[in-house]
Amino acid sequence: MRTADVLRLVTRALLTARLRSFLTILGIAVGIAAVSLLTTLGAGLQLYVLDNFSQFGSRIVAVNPGKTQTGGIGGLLSSTRPLSLDDADSLRSLPFVERVVPVVQGSGAIEFGRRVRHTDIIGGNGEMAAAWRFGIAQGHFLPVISGNSQPLAVLGSRVKRELFGDAGALGRFIRVGGERYRVVGVMASKGQMLGFDLDDIVYIPIDRALSLFNRPGLMEIDITYRAGSSAQQVAERIRQRLIQRHGVEDFSLTTQDEMLSSLNRILSLLTVAVGALGGISLLVGAIGIVTIMVTTVQERTAEIGLLRALGATRRQILLLFLSEALLLALAGGLFGLLLMALLLGVLALAIPALPISLSPFYLLLALLLAAVVGLLAGVSPAWRAAGLNPVDALQQE
Amino acid sequence: MRTADLLQFNLRLLLRQRFRTLMSLLAMAVGVAAVLLLTGLGEGARQFVLNEFSLLGSDVLIMLPGRKETSGGIPPLTGEGTRDITLEDALALERLGSVQRVAPLIVGNAQTHVGGRSRELLTVGTSAVFFRLRELVVRQGQALPVIPLQRAEPVAVIGSNTRRELFGHQKALGAWLRIGDRRFRVIGILDDRGESLGLDLSDGILIPVAAAQQIFNTQGMFRVFLQIRPGSPMPQARNDIQALMQQRHGGERDVTLITQDALLGAFDDILQLLTLGVGAIAAISLLVAGILIMNITLISVSQRTREIGLLKALGASARTVRLLFISEALQLALVGSVLGAVTGYGLLALGHWFFPLLPFVVSIWALGAALGIAIATALVFAWLPASRAARMPPVLALQGLAR
Amino acid sequence: MIRLVDLSKTYQLGDQPVKALDQVDLAIEAGEYLSVMGPSGSGKSTLLNMIGLLDTPDSGRYFLAGREMNALNEEARAAERNRRIGFVFQAYHLLERLSARENIELPLVLAGMAPAERRPMVDQIIKRLDLDSRASHLPRQLSGGQRQRVAIARAVIRKPALLLADEPTGNLDSHSGAEVIALLEELNNQGITLLVVTHDPAIGQRAARRLRMEDGRIIDDSGATQPPSADSRHAHR
C-alpha cells in the first residue's frame, strides 16, 4: 500500500470521529506541553546557573585550607595549618600557571566623610581583576607589587554610588575598618550572582585584609593557568608543590572544570527529573490513546473484516491502525508544543527575568517522545485488529 | 431514579465495557497516586528537615561577626569582621539580664594524632553550655566541664565516628590524643547522631574554647549562640545584645544576629513551595484523565443512542438521562481516585518501610485536593457529553439517527 | 478452475461441535454460474468463505487455478483474495466515511497501485455500472440497490476470475434485487465465475448449476455445465 494512501485513509478515519480524535490529541498535547515546558525551564535554569559560574573563566583551580570540606565551608573555618601568602607565591613558578590570587573575605564598615556602609571586603592582589575577569570602570585595579602594600582600595560600583553618589571617587580617602585607604579604581557593574551582590564589595590588598580580620591564613588561593595544560595536570602540580611545603595534604583543590561539570550533572538530573514528573501526564495521555484505539478497533471490526476480504494483509491492517495511533500522538505532540510556546510566552511576559532557552533539539525530542508514546500505545490495539479472524469480523455489526 | 438503582445500572454498564472502564480507572488512579506520592514525599522531606534542624529553640540567637547593609541578602557567613567577637564579649553578654546562656564557638579543621594514627577532624572549641543548647547526648563519660571560658583545660569530647577512626577497638575514654601540638584527654564520647546545622559532630571533636583559640592561633569567635531568658521579649533581647556589642566595639554595629527560625522559615517556605509545585505538576495528569473520561463518556453516549431513545420513550426526563451519564463518570472518577489514593499511600508506606528516615505523612490537604480535583474534572468533562445525550430527540435516538 | 477434495471444517458452537463442512468434494470450471441453497447452518456460508480464502479447512485440499491453497500462509492468501476473488455481501460492507468512488477504489489501493494508474480503471467500472452521477456520494446518500452496485463494482475492479455473492439481495426490495441479479449475471456472461449463496429459490433457480447443502454436505448437484465461449473468458482473466 502506498504511504499517501495510508495517510489519506487514516486521516479520513480520524476526521470522521472529530471530537474523539481532538480529545485524544488534547490529552497527549497536555502531556507533551508539560514535559517540554518543564524541561525547557529546567534547561534555562541550568544555562543561567552555569553562565553565572563560568563568568569567572573556566581555567581556574581553587585551593582551600583543610582536607575535609565540611558542607563546602572549609575555607571559612580556622585551621591548624593555614594557607599562607608564601604558599600562594610558591605556586607562581609552576609551569602553565598564569596568575595566582590569594583571597580573604569578610565584612566591615566603609566610611567616607560621614557616610558609612557596612559591606563585604575582599582581600586580593593586583592580578585578581584579570583572573576573575572583572572589568574596571574608572582608574585601575590594585597594583601588582611584591612585599608590603600601600593602603589602596578599589570600590564595587554599588559601594561607590552609596558613598560618593555621582561625585568622583578616584584619589579620595575612605576608611576601611577604621584605617585610611586611597581609592584607585571603581569596578564595572557585575550584577548579582545567586543572591550575592557582586557590586557591593570593596577590594583591598591581601596583607592588609589579613591583619584587618586578624586572620592567620588565607581562605582560598585561585590559580589560573594558560591553555595547553589540563586542569588535572595543573591541579596535580599544585598538589605536589603544597605537599612539599606542608609535609601532608592538608588542603583541598577544586578545579572550575570539575565544579562546572558536577554542577552541570546535578542540574541536568534535575531537568530530567522535572521532565519525568511531567511525563506522568504523558503516561495518562498514552492510556487515553490505548483506550480510544481499542474502542476504535471494536467499532470498526466489520470494516477490518471487509478489508481482509478485499485482500488486505494482516500487516496492512497493523500498519493502518498503528499509523492512526501514531498520527494521533504526533498531532498531540505538535499541538503540545504550540501549547508550550503559548504558556512560555505568557510566562516570559509575566516574569521577564525568567531564563528561557528553547533548543530545537529538545523540541524534536518532544515530538519523538510523542511518536514513541503513540507507537507503544497503538501497538496492542493494532495487533488486536490485525489478529481478527476475517469471517468473524465480517459478521459483526 | 433511586440512587441504588442508578448505581446498579451504571455498574452493569461499566462491567460490560470492562477494558474501557479499567483504562479510565487506571488513568484516574495514576493521577491521584502521583499527586499524593509526590506531595507526600515533599511533605516528608520538609518535616525531616524541620526535625533535623530545629534543634535550637526559637529562643536562641546566633551572632556572627561582620555586618552587611544589604537587607534580605545572604548574611556575612564568612565569619570575618574587622573586629573580632572576643571571649570577653561573650562573658559580657552572659551578664546581660535578658540572656540566659551563651555558648561561644570556634570551628576549624585540625590534624589530630593518636599513637601512629592521624586524621584531619572538624574541631569545635566551645563550652559546657553548648551541650545543653544543642541537646547533645554523651554516651560514655561526661560533657565538657563547666569551667571559666578563658581556661584551656586539656580535655576533649569526641564523636562516635571519630572514636572509631582514631581508636578502633582500643579504649578511648581516658586516653590521650594530640591536636596540633597540644595534648588532650578524652573525657566523653557523643551518642550517634546525624548531621545537624551542616556540621556532622559524629566526625568531630569538642574542646574548651580557650584551647581552640590556642590551637588555631585566633582570638575571634566563629559564632556565638545566645539563649534568651524565658519571659524576655525577643526584640528587647536583640536590642540589648546589639547595644552591648556596639558599646564594646567602640560604637560600631559590626555583628549580625540571626534566629534559626528565620533561616528555617526561608527553608520551610522553599520546601513548601516545592511540594506545591511538584503536586501541581502531577495534578496536570488528572486533567488529562479528565479529558479521557470526557472522551469515553462521548463514546458511551454515541454507542448508546438507541438506548437513550428507549429510556426517553419509557419516560426518562432529560435530567435523568444527564444524571445517568454524569453519575457514570463520577463513579469512575471516585473508584479511580480511591484506587489511586490507596496506591499512593501504599507506595509512601513502602518507602517509609525501606527508608525509615523518610517520614510517612498523610497530608489532609493533598488528599482533599487530589480527590477534589479528580471529581471536579470528571464532573466538568462529563457535562458536555451528558448534556448531548439529554438533548437527543427520542424518536431520532430510537432509530439511532440522533447525533 | 476450483477443486475441493475431502474438505472438512468443524466449529465449536458453545460446547457443541458443529460440522460446517463434512468431506466436501467439488469441482468448478471457469465461467460457471452456481447457486448454493440450503437451510440456515447447512454450511453454505462456510463453503463460500472457504472458496473465498477467508477461512481455512481442518482437513482436505483446495486447488485454485491449479495451485494448492492450503500451503499458503495468511499473507499470501490475502494477496490471492485481492487478485482473484471478488466478494459481494448482503450488508454491502461499504466504508461509511468514503465516497462511492473511494470504496470502489479500495482493492487497488490495497494492492499499492499508483493513483494515475487506477483512475482510468475506476472511471471505466463506474461508467459500466452506470454509477456516474453517484460516484462522489457517501454510502448513506445512496439507495440499497445503488449501494450494492457500488459493492459489486468494488468486487470486480481487479477483474477477478471468481465472484462470490452471499445473499446479495437479502437487504433489497424485489425490484432492486432483480437489478442486482441481472448485473451479476451479465458479469458472468462476460466470463467471470459466479457463485451465489441464497435462501431465495427464485434466485437459486436462475443459476445454471445448483447446489443444495444440508449438515455440511452437498446433497444435490445439478451437475457441471458447459462454460461460455473461450474468447469472453479470455477477456476477463
Side-chain angles (χ1 to χ4, degrees):
Chain A
M1 208 152 72
R2 306 181 145 253
T3 316
D5 286 326
V6 173
L7 276 179
R8 188 172 53 87
L9 287 176
V10 168
T11 330
R12 189 68 70 84
L14 289 178
L15 285 180
T16 307
R18 210 158 301 165
L19 189 54
R20 179 193 297 192
S21 302
F22 170 73
L23 287 174
T24 314
I25 287 170
L26 189 62
I28 289 292
V30 171
I32 287 290
V35 171
S36 55
L37 186 67
L38 289 169
T39 47
T40 299
L41 290 180
L45 181 74
Q46 183 172 359
L47 214 66
Y48 171 76
V49 172
L50 288 182
D51 259 9
N52 257 316
F53 274 93
S54 55
Q55 63 182 324
F56 300 112
S58 57
R59 288 205 299 272
I60 292 188
V61 180
V63 186
N64 296 98
K67 178 122 192 277
T68 46
Q69 291 292 310
T70 316
I73 57 165
L76 310 183
L77 303 180
S78 306
S79 176
T80 46
R81 292 163 179 274
L83 285 172
S84 65
L85 275 176
D86 287 342
D87 286 334
D89 283 333
S90 77
L91 301 176
R92 289 182 194 282
S93 58
L94 290 175
F96 290 104
V97 165
E98 191 177 23
R99 298 190 178 91
V100 178
V101 182
V103 185
V104 150
Q105 187 181 354
S107 53
I110 318 295
E111 298 161 68
F112 173 68
R114 280 159 57 197
R115 292 197 194 178
V116 187
R117 182 160 184 84
H118 288 265
T119 188
D120 284 310
I121 301 168
I122 289 184
N125 64 7
E127 293 163 283
M128 184 179 254
W132 286 2
R133 299 190 182 172
F134 280 9
I136 315 290
Q138 298 167 26
H140 53 83
F141 198 69
L142 299 173
V144 178
I145 43 120
S146 51
N148 287 347
S149 58
Q150 300 288 311
L152 306 176
V154 178
L155 305 182
S157 59
R158 171 111 194 247
V159 183
K160 190 260 165 192
R161 202 171 55 243
E162 296 288 341
L163 289 182
F164 293 91
D166 291 330
L170 293 186
R172 310 299 286 267
F173 284 91
I174 57 170
R175 282 182 178 278
V176 177
E179 297 169 23
R180 255 166 69 95
Y181 283 77
R182 186 160 58 87
V183 177
V184 296
V186 175
M187 308 295 289
S189 176
K190 262 303 225 191
Q192 296 233 331
M193 174 172 141
L194 310 178
F196 187 82
D197 190 347
L198 292 174
D199 297 332
D200 204 2
I201 298 176
V202 172
Y203 301 87
I204 60 173
I206 181 74
D207 49 334
R208 291 184 173 271
L210 283 174
S211 68
L212 183 65
F213 298 132
N214 189 19
R215 206 188 139 96
L218 305 172
M219 282 183 182
E220 185 168 301
I221 305 173
D222 287 339
I223 299 106
T224 68
Y225 54 93
R226 278 184 286 275
S229 182
S230 74
Q232 279 75 12
Q233 281 170 342
V234 173
E236 193 46 42
R237 289 207 176 92
I238 294 170
R239 189 192 315 277
Q240 295 308 334
R241 173 65 54 92
L242 288 178
I243 287 178
Q244 201 185 323
R245 290 177 60 86
H246 285 214
V248 289
E249 189 173 344
D250 54 4
F251 53 88
S252 37
L253 293 172
T254 323
T255 66
Q256 184 82 352
D257 271 6
E258 257 171 56
M259 201 194 65
L260 283 179
S261 71
S262 64
L263 200 65
N264 195 12
R265 248 196 324 274
I266 293 170
L267 289 170
S268 303
L269 204 69
L270 201 78
T271 304
V272 170
V274 171
L277 288 188
I280 300 170
S281 313
L282 201 54
L283 175 70
V284 177
I287 295 175
I289 290 200
V290 177
T291 317
I292 296 310
M293 285 308 294
V294 165
T295 306
T296 301
V297 170
Q298 263 173 23
E299 289 181 350
R300 302 225 300 258
T301 301
E303 172 184 332
I304 293 163
L306 169 82
L307 287 176
R308 295 296 304 280
L310 294 183
T313 59
R314 276 197 187 135
R315 196 191 306 240
Q316 281 177 328
I317 301 288
L318 190 75
L319 180 73
L320 276 173
F321 281 91
L322 214 51
S323 314
E324 200 167 317
L326 187 66
L327 214 62
L328 274 175
L330 271 180
L334 276 177
F335 189 31
L337 288 184
L338 216 70
L339 215 63
M340 177 206 71
L342 209 72
L343 287 172
L344 219 52
V346 171
L347 266 177
L349 281 182
I351 318 169
L354 202 70
I356 291 172
S357 75
L358 267 183
S359 95
F361 172 72
Y362 275 113
L363 299 187
L364 277 179
L365 210 64
L367 277 185
L368 195 71
L369 185 66
V372 169
V373 164
L375 282 180
L376 285 181
V379 99
S380 142
W383 197 258
R384 197 188 273 211
L388 282 176
N389 176 342
V391 177
D392 296 342
L394 273 168
Q395 277 158 10
Q396 289 267 332
E397 195 153 26
Chain B
M1 214 168 172
R2 286 179 37 203
T3 314
D5 291 334
L6 192 67
L7 288 182
Q8 208 192 352
F9 186 87
N10 287 338
L11 201 64
R12 281 273 164 70
L13 273 168
L14 294 177
L15 284 180
R16 215 186 54 205
Q17 288 293 345
R18 209 162 305 148
F19 181 78
R20 223 188 275 165
T21 305
L22 218 65
M23 283 318 216
S24 346
L25 288 182
L26 183 64
M28 265 296 163
V30 166
V32 171
V35 171
L36 292 182
L37 191 63
L38 290 173
T39 51
L41 285 177
E43 251 327 274
R46 195 174 72 92
Q47 294 199 2
F48 174 76
V49 168
L50 291 188
N51 284 339
E52 201 60 16
F53 286 89
S54 62
L55 296 160
L56 303 169
S58 57
D59 56 345
V60 174
L61 284 170
I62 305 168
M63 183 190 289
L64 4 159
R67 186 165 77 87
K68 270 171 76 175
E69 210 97 22
T70 334
S71 60
I74 303 168
L77 294 174
T78 60
E80 296 298 343
T82 48
R83 201 189 295 255
D84 290 336
I85 302 174
T86 61
L87 274 185
E88 288 70 34
D89 289 335
L91 287 171
L93 287 167
E94 227 164 22
R95 287 193 292 271
L96 268 181
S98 48
V99 173
Q100 188 174 30
R101 293 198 182 93
V102 175
L105 209 64
I106 291 176
V107 185
N109 288 310
Q111 206 69 28
T112 307
H113 313 264
V114 172
R117 295 181 211 231
S118 168
R119 289 279 188 284
E120 191 183 85
L121 293 176
L122 180 76
T123 307
V124 179
T126 183
S127 70
V129 174
F130 185 68
F131 284 71
R132 300 194 55 178
L133 276 180
R134 293 291 305 275
E135 294 166 18
L136 296 180
V137 179
V138 180
R139 187 172 61 190
Q140 259 184 300
Q142 57 176 95
L144 288 178
V146 181
I147 48 168
L149 286 181
Q150 301 91 329
R151 231 169 84 192
E153 192 93 349
V155 292
V157 176
I158 60 179
S160 52
N161 282 346
T162 307
R163 197 213 94 89
R164 225 182 350 266
E165 293 222 338
L166 286 180
F167 294 96
H169 295 295
Q170 285 167 309
K171 190 168 153 34
L173 211 60
W176 289 83
L177 48 77
R178 189 160 62 78
I179 307 175
D181 51 1
R182 304 179 82 80
R183 275 158 55 83
F184 293 84
R185 194 164 54 86
V186 177
I187 58 166
I189 297 163
L190 288 179
D191 203 22
D192 258 321
R193 265 278 303 274
E195 189 165 329
S196 47
L197 275 179
L199 297 181
D200 193 352
L201 288 177
S202 59
D203 275 325
I205 184 161
L206 294 115
I207 56 175
V209 64
Q213 280 184 314
Q214 292 168 356
I215 287 173
F216 294 123
N217 183 27
T218 175
Q219 289 303 305
M221 300 298 122
F222 184 63
R223 303 278 186 269
V224 177
F225 287 47
L226 300 140
Q227 188 170 33
I228 307 308
R229 193 174 293 284
S232 309
M234 180 60 93
Q236 173 69 42
R238 233 176 213 284
N239 280 343
D240 289 354
I241 294 166
Q242 283 286 13
L244 179 70
M245 289 307 288
Q246 191 166 1
Q247 178 206 327
R248 291 186 58 85
H249 283 192
E252 284 274 4
R253 291 186 56 169
D254 59 359
V255 296
T256 304
L257 279 174
I258 50 177
T259 57
Q260 201 186 17
D261 274 6
L263 283 179
L264 276 180
F267 219 53
D268 190 23
D269 285 351
I270 291 172
L271 282 172
Q272 208 148 23
L273 206 68
L274 212 68
T275 305
L276 211 65
V278 164
I281 292 172
I284 300 173
S285 59
L286 280 177
L287 176 73
V288 181
I291 296 173
L292 177 60
I293 286 199
M294 176 170 179
N295 215 347
I296 284 179
T297 313
L298 268 172
I299 292 171
S300 185
V301 168
S302 72
Q303 286 183 346
R304 283 158 60 197
T305 305
R306 281 168 209 274
E307 177 185 325
I308 293 165
L310 176 74
L311 286 174
K312 286 199 160 180
L314 292 179
S317 67
R319 247 186 63 134
T320 309
V321 170
R322 180 185 293 129
L323 184 69
L324 221 51
F325 284 94
I326 285 182
S327 67
E328 185 186 334
L330 270 183
Q331 234 167 312
L332 275 178
L334 212 63
V335 175
S337 306
V338 169
L339 281 179
V342 169
T343 313
Y345 283 129
L347 285 174
L348 274 181
L350 207 68
H352 179 61
W353 173 267
F354 281 116
F355 309 99
L357 267 181
L358 199 79
F360 173 72
V361 191
V362 175
S363 70
I364 299 300
W365 68 265
L367 185 63
L371 293 187
I373 293 173
I375 288 164
T377 28
L379 248 181
V380 168
F381 282 101
W383 193 264
L384 177 86
S387 302
R388 183 187 269 202
R391 270 199 317 268
M392 283 183 180
V395 179
L396 285 181
L398 262 176
Q399 294 168 341
L401 291 176
R403 287 174 53 86
Chain C
M1 185 183 95
I2 289 171
R3 210 149 65 78
L4 305 182
V5 184
D6 252 1
L7 216 62
S8 293
K9 179 82 182 182
T10 309
Y11 286 115
Q12 209 67 28
L13 210 75
D15 39 46
Q16 200 82 25
V18 175
K19 281 203 166 165
L21 288 183
D22 191 1
Q23 298 185 315
V24 170
D25 286 292
L26 180 66
I28 301 172
E29 293 306 317
E32 276 198 273
Y33 177 14
L34 293 89
S35 69
V36 184
M37 290 192 287
S40 303
S42 61
K44 309 185 297 278
S45 290
T46 306
L47 180 69
L48 183 111
N49 289 337
M50 212 55 85
I51 293 173
L53 288 171
L54 284 175
D55 211 342
T56 49
D58 294 337
S59 63
R61 309 174 77 179
Y62 171 21
F63 298 88
L64 175 63
R67 288 168 61 217
E68 167 137 30
M69 291 291 120
N70 302 33
L72 299 181
N73 67 14
E74 185 50 43
E75 304 304 79
R77 293 154 64 82
E80 288 294 312
R81 285 199 293 271
N82 185 262
R83 242 188 29 221
R84 297 185 196 278
I85 302 167
F87 287 94
V88 176
F89 304 96
Q90 174 176 6
Y92 325 126
H93 281 305
L94 298 177
L95 298 199
E96 288 298 324
R97 58 180 178 277
L98 300 186
S99 67
R101 189 189 174 86
E102 287 167 317
N103 266 293
I104 295 169
E105 200 181 33
L106 263 180
L108 303 181
V109 168
L110 287 173
M113 200 176 278
E117 202 179 337
R118 64 199 189 214
R119 185 168 307 119
M121 299 176 76
V122 179
D123 284 343
Q124 192 197 351
I125 201 96
I126 283 175
K127 202 173 195 104
R128 202 171 128 205
L129 297 199
D130 210 13
L131 286 164
D132 300 55
S133 59
R134 300 280 162 204
S136 57
H137 285 50
L138 290 175
R140 67 164 175 270
Q141 296 165 317
L142 302 177
S143 72
Q146 287 167 335
R147 284 190 222 188
Q148 198 59 301
R149 283 231 297 283
V150 170
I152 293 169
R154 184 180 63 192
V156 299
I157 183 81
R158 290 221 68 192
K159 302 193 167 67
L162 179 61
L163 185 55
L164 302 172
D166 193 354
E167 303 278 8
T169 59
N171 282 6
L172 299 175
D173 59 65
S174 56
H175 176 69
S176 315
E179 273 183 10
V180 163
I181 290 298
L183 176 57
L184 290 175
E185 286 173 358
E186 186 194 330
L187 288 166
N188 173 249
N189 282 335
Q190 288 161 10
I192 200 165
T193 311
L194 176 64
L195 193 151
V196 180
V197 168
T198 181
H199 269 108
D200 186 344
I203 291 172
Q205 291 309 322
R206 296 176 65 89
R209 181 178 174 190
R210 298 170 296 278
L211 306 181
R212 174 160 287 280
M213 288 190 74
E214 220 163 85
D215 297 333
R217 290 163 190 267
I218 299 174
I219 55 166
D220 187 25
D221 184 349
S222 68
T225 52
Q226 193 59 38
S229 70
D231 352 313
S232 55
R233 195 183 333 150
H234 189 73
H236 281 281
R237 279 264 311 159

